[in-house]
């Protein structure tokens, strides 16, 4: 079965789906997106993702998305292409525009697509990278399609047999990964960088804060070198332990705090598909 795609109000398959080469999302990265975990044809925390999509669109100056249409697109794609575990991608761009930074008047483009995904291992390796997140930038806190920095950083991580790269911000504080939020255990207490660090307001991050509890703390990037435990959160990773940071090994990962956080998250998520 070929994957189904929802493109501007109708279903099509991957071979027939077409977006203009003049789409502003392609030419200048003028777009926002969400990745939603789908299990047995059901999206997790979809309402929270749609709210963040709308916030990102507003922050980028895009027209307000029709969230009922987005939800309808998600339902149609999941019904047409059910998978046991998948990544549901919602992309919303500036649409057909002139070549350059100015937007056109044709209106936005909406694409919903689904791909089967692999479940993550219990623990992974990460690296730190020398490039900084700009906590004062125009796109800070928005989930946009301008992902070039993440592509470069993740490629560096792959070169070092790691699955994620972690950034500091312009003042040297721990910030986030290319597609994850980061939590650390220091002296037995769980911490994560505050949104003022420049990190994305991750959906899984928010649920861990609500369900598990953690302190939002400004931490130096060097806190990774003394943390007793480190874990990542994201839509498809849920809660994932870290067994290596750069060349430092964290034996026994996932540790007890990480294991308990994953247990609570798994139980609460199973009880409510749209928390």
């Amino acid at each position: 079965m070929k994957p189904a795609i929802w493109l501007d109000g109708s279903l099509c398959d991957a071979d027939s789906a077409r977006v203009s080469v003049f789409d502003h999302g392609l030419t200048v990265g003028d777009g926002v997106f969400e990745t939603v975990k789908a299990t047995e044809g059901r999206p997790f925390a979809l309402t929270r993702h749609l709210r963040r999509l709308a916030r990102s669109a507003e922050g980028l100056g895009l027209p307000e998305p029709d969230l009922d249409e987005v939800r309808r697109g998600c339902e149609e794609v999941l019904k047409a292409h059910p998978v046991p575990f998948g990544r549901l991608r919602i992309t919303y761009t500036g649409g057909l525009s002139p070549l350059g930074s100015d937007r056109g008047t044709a209106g936005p483009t909406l694409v919903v697509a689904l791909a089967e995904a692999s479940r993550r291992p219990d623990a992974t390796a990460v690296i730190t990278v020398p490039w900084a997140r700009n906590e004062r930038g125009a796109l800070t806190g928005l989930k946009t399609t301008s992902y070039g920095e993440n592509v470069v950083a993740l490629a560096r991580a792959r070169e070092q047999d790691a699955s994620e790269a972690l950034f500091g911000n312009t003042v040297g504080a721990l910030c986030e990964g290319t597609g994850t939020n980061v939590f650390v255990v220091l002296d037995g207490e769980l911490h994560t960088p505050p949104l003022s660090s420049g990190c994305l307001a991750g959906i899984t991050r928010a649920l861990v804060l609500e369900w598990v509890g953690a302190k939002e703390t400004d931490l130096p990037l060097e806190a990774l070198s003394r943390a007793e435990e480190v874990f990542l959160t994201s839509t498809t990773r849920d809660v994932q332990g870290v067994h290596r940071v750069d060349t430092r090994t964290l034996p026994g990962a996932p540790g007890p705090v990480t294991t308990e956080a994953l247990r609570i998250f798994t139980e609460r998520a199973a009880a409510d598909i749209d928390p």
Side-chain angles (χ1 to χ4, degrees):
M1 178 188 299
K2 290 184 178 180
I5 294 170
W6 179 270
L7 174 58
D8 289 337
S10 60
L11 279 174
C12 51
D13 62 33
D15 292 335
S16 61
R18 295 288 184 270
V19 174
S20 170
V21 295
F22 294 103
D23 190 276
H24 229 211
L26 173 65
T27 57
V28 298
D30 177 27
V32 297
F33 77 99
E34 288 291 320
T35 299
V36 183
K37 179 175 66 174
T39 306
E40 302 298 339
R42 302 178 71 199
F44 178 70
L46 181 60
T47 298
R48 288 180 184 248
H49 281 285
L50 294 184
R51 288 174 182 160
R52 189 173 64 181
L53 181 77
R55 290 196 301 270
S56 294
E58 180 182 14
L60 201 57
L62 290 169
E64 182 179 358
D66 181 343
L67 297 186
D68 289 336
E69 181 188 356
V70 180
R71 190 180 290 273
R72 186 165 57 253
C74 293
E75 292 171 353
E76 292 295 327
V77 167
L78 288 166
K79 183 167 47 176
H81 186 58
V83 295
F85 183 71
R87 182 190 301 264
L88 184 68
R89 163 82 180 223
I90 304 163
T91 307
Y92 184 70
T93 80
L96 187 66
S97 301
L99 291 174
S101 296
D102 288 328
R103 289 195 182 110
T105 59
T109 298
L110 172 64
V111 180
V112 181
L114 177 69
E116 192 162 6
S118 300
R119 297 186 183 273
R120 89 289 181 274
D122 290 339
T124 191
V126 304
I127 66 165
T128 55
V129 290
W131 310 293
R133 284 287 201 236
N134 181 2
E135 70 278 10
R136 300 186 301 275
L139 302 184
T140 300
L142 308 181
K143 195 169 180 67
T144 77
T145 58
S146 299
Y147 246 47
E149 286 186 348
N150 293 332
V151 171
V152 172
L154 191 56
R156 173 73 64 88
R158 298 298 188 192
E159 291 169 359
Q160 299 182 34
D161 295 322
S163 75
E164 181 59 302
L166 301 181
F167 293 90
N169 62 17
T170 64
V171 295
L174 180 62
C175 186
E176 64 179 353
T178 67
T180 63
N181 292 108
V182 58
F183 288 73
V184 299
V185 178
L186 298 167
D187 298 324
E189 291 188 325
L190 186 59
H191 301 263
T192 194
L195 298 183
S196 59
S197 70
C199 68
L200 183 71
I203 303 301
T204 308
R205 172 189 182 275
L207 292 172
V208 169
L209 285 171
E210 292 174 24
W211 293 346
V212 179
K215 294 183 177 180
E216 294 183 273
T217 310
D218 282 308
L219 297 167
L221 190 60
E222 292 74 22
L224 293 167
S225 67
R226 55 187 177 87
E228 295 117 52
E229 297 179 42
V230 178
F231 66 77
L232 307 175
T233 60
S234 78
T235 290
T236 55
R237 295 178 192 250
D238 292 336
V239 174
Q240 183 181 36
V242 171
H243 62 71
R244 175 170 61 84
V245 178
D246 294 325
T247 60
R248 180 192 177 215
T249 300
L250 286 81
V257 176
T258 304
T259 300
E260 179 66 2
L262 176 58
R263 182 192 68 77
I264 294 171
F265 183 87
T266 301
E267 288 183 359
R268 294 289 296 268
D272 187 353
I273 195 70
D274 198 18

